[in-house]
Amino acid sequence: MAETKSKILIVGSTGFIGKHLVEASAKAGHPTFALVREPTLSNPAKSKIIERFKALGVNFVLGDLYDHESLVKAIKQVNVVISTVDHSQLVDQHKIIAAIKEAGNVQRFFPSEFGNDVDRAHAVEPAKTTYTVKSNFRREVEASGIPYTYIVGNFFSGYFLPTLNQPGATAPPRDKIVVLGDGNTKAIFNKEQDVSTYTIKAVDDPRTLNKILYIMPPGNTVSFNEIVSLWEKKIGKTLEKIYVPEEQLLKKIQESVEPIKSLLCYGYSVFVKGDHTNFEVEPSFGVEATELYPDVKYTSVDEYLNQFI
């Protein structure tokens, strides 16, 4: 008898990580439902994504985070809900909890996370507020009794590697590079498609139930200095390195404006405080994706950088 795969609803389905989760879900054979607002279906900026979803056989469900009735109706069609709402909507995820409770049929909920482990982070403002919102929502999910999995994908490769974390740059540097901290702290970079593949693998896996799934591939756990060294070898050139010590970085954060301020804040958390790798994953609260799913071929940092040569 064939295994029945969970039906999955993606909230925020046309966003940065949402579109990759929809694709990973459909390709893995899950009946996949994308919550979309009616204007999105005719939005020229989203047309390629919508056409891709149609080609994959994705089911479009008209609804909105702020329309309770439509949300309940959408959730009643599935077993699993994955939220990928953006920063501006994080504080409103309680609306998803309310709809899940009313629907009464959800076997797993994935809140909008996919970055650092917000319960084990050392952030300064404005990142601190975002982490606090996500951490508080974890407690809300746990108190609700809804089965959950939190995804810690660390840094998306697509956000950081195309510029090697250089604010304002449009390509990796070829002359000089700014390094936050001493450059020796290990960080983790994961391609968005790989984060999505691991997330969908976790949907029907009892080992990830009420746990944090950490995506920590050995080939993607590297220091900033190691990334610079990889890049230097690829371009056959040694870069001038400008190191920014902790106190100087904190001052720079205070003086900066968005979006540079947030970029520096997350850099401080990861490259100075080591928030991707400064703790042990204990079985009581977490599991590691590459250990659970060794069959997944992930894209390493080394491989990812080849496209920019």
Side-chain angles (χ1 to χ4, degrees):
M1 186 176 170
E3 181 188 354
T4 303
K5 289 181 178 278
S6 286
K7 297 175 182 177
I8 301 175
L9 175 72
I10 317 285
V11 181
S13 59
T14 61
F16 180 78
I17 188 66
K19 62 181 181 287
H20 296 299
L21 282 160
V22 169
E23 182 152 346
S25 174
K27 284 182 173 177
H30 290 272
T32 304
F33 296 74
L35 186 76
V36 292
R37 289 174 296 169
E38 199 157 5
T40 303
L41 293 174
S42 55
N43 182 350
K46 299 287 188 180
S47 61
K48 281 189 179 178
I49 298 171
I50 297 299
E51 288 307 311
R52 179 64 180 153
F53 287 179
K54 286 177 180 175
L56 289 166
V58 172
N59 302 285
F60 294 100
V61 186
L62 292 178
D64 193 301
L65 179 63
Y66 302 100
D67 180 346
H68 179 73
E69 192 177 330
S70 71
L71 204 51
V72 172
K73 188 178 178 182
I75 289 170
K76 280 185 174 178
Q77 300 179 58
V78 300
N79 319 100
V80 174
V81 176
I82 302 177
S83 171
T84 66
V85 299
D86 66 21
H87 282 63
S88 66
Q89 296 178 311
L90 288 174
V91 293
D92 295 321
Q93 284 192 104
H94 63 87
K95 295 177 184 298
I96 302 175
I97 285 183
I100 287 174
K101 282 183 170 180
E102 185 169 328
N105 57 303
V106 169
Q107 294 164 3
R108 194 82 65 97
F109 175 44
F110 292 70
S112 187
E113 293 231 1
F114 307 102
N116 293 10
D117 183 351
V118 293
D119 284 335
R120 293 168 182 82
H122 304 78
V124 293
E125 294 296 0
K128 187 175 182 180
T129 294
T130 301
Y131 286 173
T132 300
V133 168
K134 287 187 174 184
S135 183
N136 288 345
F137 188 66
R138 284 185 177 187
R139 307 292 84 82
E140 200 173 334
V141 170
E142 290 153 15
S144 75
I146 296 166
Y148 66 86
T149 301
Y150 306 137
I151 303 294
V152 170
N154 298 299
F155 273 166
F156 289 137
S157 296
Y159 271 167
F160 293 90
L161 295 182
T163 63
L164 296 193
N165 201 52
Q166 303 301 290
T170 56
R174 291 176 178 263
D175 296 307
K176 61 183 179 181
I177 187 164
V178 175
V179 180
L180 304 182
D182 63 11
N184 293 324
T185 304
K186 297 279 188 180
I188 302 168
F189 303 82
N190 288 308
K191 193 174 179 181
E192 300 78 63
Q193 290 89 337
D194 295 339
V195 171
S196 301
T197 297
Y198 285 121
T199 300
I200 298 304
K201 286 261 187 189
V203 161
D204 289 324
D205 190 342
R207 297 172 296 178
T208 61
L209 178 63
N210 297 337
K211 293 280 174 71
I212 303 170
L213 179 68
Y214 293 90
I215 305 174
M216 309 172 82
N220 291 351
T221 305
V222 290
S223 71
F224 207 105
N225 286 336
E226 287 170 333
I227 293 174
V228 173
S229 179
L230 278 172
W231 181 240
E232 287 176 330
K233 285 175 187 171
K234 290 180 189 300
I235 63 173
K237 189 177 181 183
T238 300
L239 302 181
E240 176 192 347
K241 298 162 194 73
I242 302 162
Y243 290 90
V244 183
E246 182 172 356
E247 290 308 312
Q248 190 181 330
L249 176 55
L250 288 170
K251 188 169 184 288
K252 206 169 180 178
I253 290 169
Q254 286 183 330
E255 294 169 350
S256 297
V257 294
E258 295 294 359
I260 305 294
K261 184 187 278 281
S262 285
L263 189 65
L264 293 174
C265 279
Y266 293 118
Y268 172 78
S269 166
V270 173
F271 299 123
V272 175
K273 291 302 185 182
D275 284 343
H276 286 174
T277 56
N278 62 8
F279 59 91
E280 295 293 324
V281 176
E282 302 288 346
S284 59
F285 62 80
V287 288
E288 200 284 309
T290 61
E291 292 178 3
L292 294 188
Y293 316 114
D295 56 309
V296 174
K297 172 69 178 77
Y298 65 85
T299 302
S300 70
V301 168
D302 190 4
E303 293 164 336
Y304 194 91
L305 290 174
N306 287 334
Q307 65 188 292
F308 307 114
I309 298 173

